[in-house]
Each structure stands twice: as structure tokens, then as C-alpha cells.
Amino acid sequence: MGKPGTITLFLLFVCAAFARSQFVSVPIDHQVYPLLVKGETLGMFDSYSLRVLPLTRHEVVLLLKSMKQHTPILSSADAELVDQMLGEFAELKVGDFAVPENEIHAYRYEE
């Protein structure tokens, strides 16, 4: 393999790495942030987690899972909201079906 082939192979790996490292941020006005602030206030996770916004979907899922482990501290309405948000942020693979407890919303209604 010559020099052009090596450069092409290197660029292919670099492009693949960049394509894989893209993260989707959760908009600042999303309803999950007040819930996460409540979890932080109740001491369910470190307060440093919410200092830099917006959070990525992965970070939100990790914080929601931390809240799910502390469900007895939450009110029943907040526990249901944690479950709803976990369903909204669930990462399904192509061909997988959402389990009944996961709710996927095409839109959001607020009063």
C-alpha cells in the first residue's frame, strides 16, 4: 500500500471516529430539567452534573436512572414522571419494539 492508500485509510478511520462521537443535546427548555433539579435538591446525585447545560441525552438517562434507584424518596407523581422521561429518552435499536412502560411522544403539550 502506497502513501495515497495510507492517507485514504487514515482519513476513513478519522471520519468514522467523528461520525461516532456526535452527541445530541437536550434543549434547555425541556421538561426534564426541572425534574433533574428536584433530584439534585433531594441529593440523589452530585450537583456538579447540572452545572453545564445543555446535557446530552446519555447524561440525562444516567441521571434519570440514578433517580430511579431512589424512588422511595420521590412522590408518586415524580416517580411516574421519571419513568415517563426514561421512556422518552430510551435508545431503541432498529427493529426493537418499545416495551409497554416506555412512552415515546411525537409532541409535547404544556399548559
Side-chain angles (χ1 to χ4, degrees), residues 17-87:
F18 280 122
R20 193 115 165 95
S21 66
Q22 294 179 1
F23 296 101
V24 179
S25 296
V26 178
I28 298 290
D29 62 345
H30 194 279
Q31 65 183 357
V32 75
Y33 288 113
L35 180 65
L36 293 176
V37 168
K38 189 171 214 175
E40 175 190 19
T41 303
L42 293 173
M44 295 181 171
F45 47 83
D46 186 22
S47 65
Y48 182 75
S49 303
L50 293 178
R51 295 202 183 183
V52 180
L53 298 179
L55 298 175
T56 63
R57 291 179 61 88
H58 178 71
E59 291 169 329
V60 169
V61 168
L62 291 177
L63 293 173
L64 288 171
K65 285 182 179 178
S66 175
M67 289 181 73
K68 180 77 172 167
Q69 293 174 351
H70 297 91
T71 301
I73 299 173
L74 294 171
S75 67
S76 59
D78 287 335
E80 287 179 21
L81 189 56
V82 167
D83 290 335
Q84 179 184 350
M85 290 294 112
L86 279 170

